[in-house]
Amino acid sequence: MAVSGVTVEERHTGGAKGETPVAKAAGQALGDADMFMTLLMAQIKNQDPLSPSDPAQFVNQLVQMNQMQTSLSMLSELKGNALMLRELQGLALGGQVGHLSRVSTYRLELSTASGPLSGHLTLSGAEKAVSVTLTAADGSQTKVDLGAQPEGAFAFSIDPAALKLPAGHYEVSVQTASGKKPMLEFEARIEGVRLPVSGGEPLLRLAGLGEFPASSITQLRGAASRDAQG
């Protein structure tokens, strides 16, 4: 199901049609409560009249059951709130589809349609030499020399076609003369937002880069230019 650029995965796992995980948990809690009361009443009815159980024992059992019901109720409420917040976050991010964003990542998924990649590095000090290496799944490496760079942030570009990089997964590493590891980001247009059926945070699909969790997005850059959209 897609709403405002957001894809929500749907799956039924044996429950009643339309039954949510929260409703299922609540139903289970009620079932446990009924079972407990049935067992408690059976215990009271079948106790030895000549040696009855201590009434305090039954009171303690009722108190424990009440505490368990309260905990289950709070858990169900927290799950419901988490699900609602997740969906609201997905809808909000759906409004960013078509806009540019930056992601902090050392992994890329290049496709056959991947154009030049827009990268950004932030150096804590001037470096005599900076390079970026892309390692493919088969272990082959492609090194891009960026030369000497001053302190601060700067942009660079990687053209998979010019470097003859096939589609696939790549690990990205940065080498500096000082050995320090700078912050690495890539900028691309948001193509879609997905809410995983198993839960968890929304995933954003970035053009030419792959899919990333929302927590790895460092900036939402606004509307993409015509060049970026092309």
Side-chain angles (χ1 to χ4, degrees):
M1 176 175 62
V3 182
S4 302
V6 182
T7 300
V8 182
E9 296 181 353
E10 296 179 309
R11 181 178 67 187
H12 294 297
T13 55
K17 186 175 182 181
E19 184 180 40
T20 66
V22 175
K24 186 176 181 180
Q28 182 177 354
L30 291 174
D32 291 342
D34 291 340
M35 181 178 293
F36 175 85
M37 292 304 299
T38 299
L39 293 174
L40 181 60
M41 292 304 297
Q43 181 181 353
I44 294 175
K45 290 170 63 177
N46 295 297
Q47 65 180 328
D48 185 354
L50 301 178
S51 181
S53 300
D54 184 358
Q57 178 182 355
F58 297 123
V59 173
N60 289 335
Q61 290 177 331
L62 288 172
V63 170
Q64 291 173 2
M65 183 60 197
N66 182 64
Q67 291 175 339
M68 184 183 73
Q69 286 182 294
T70 301
S71 298
L72 289 173
S73 177
M74 292 178 61
L75 179 60
S76 297
E77 185 175 352
L78 288 173
K79 286 182 177 179
N81 290 338
L83 180 61
M84 181 178 65
L85 289 174
R86 169 177 170 267
E87 293 180 349
L88 288 175
Q89 184 185 18
L91 289 173
L93 289 172
Q96 297 295 320
V97 172
H99 292 187
L100 292 174
S101 70
R102 286 188 186 179
V103 58
S104 175
T105 182
Y106 289 90
R107 295 182 179 181
L108 301 176
E109 183 182 353
L110 302 184
S111 66
T112 54
S114 295
L117 308 181
S118 176
H120 299 265
L121 281 171
T122 303
L123 303 176
S124 59
E127 295 287 354
K128 295 180 180 179
V130 180
S131 62
V132 174
T133 299
L134 289 86
T135 304
D138 62 2
S140 60
Q141 295 186 329
T142 302
K143 186 176 181 179
V144 180
D145 289 315
L146 304 177
Q149 296 292 339
E151 178 181 357
F154 71 94
F156 65 93
S157 180
I158 296 177
D159 189 346
L163 296 172
K164 299 181 179 180
L165 297 175
H169 295 270
Y170 289 83
E171 297 285 341
V172 185
S173 59
V174 181
Q175 299 79 40
T176 62
S178 68
K180 296 179 180 179
K181 299 298 181 183
M183 179 179 179
L184 173 64
E185 299 170 292
F186 286 94
E187 184 171 288
R189 177 171 51 88
I190 300 175
E191 291 185 324
V193 179
R194 180 167 65 90
L195 300 180
V197 68
S198 58
E201 61 182 313
L203 300 173
L204 284 75
R205 186 173 68 255
L206 303 186
L209 299 180
E211 199 172 57
F212 304 91
S215 58
S216 65
I217 302 300
T218 57
Q219 294 185 40
L220 295 173
R221 304 282 291 171
S225 65
R226 289 186 179 180
D227 291 339
Q229 293 182 16

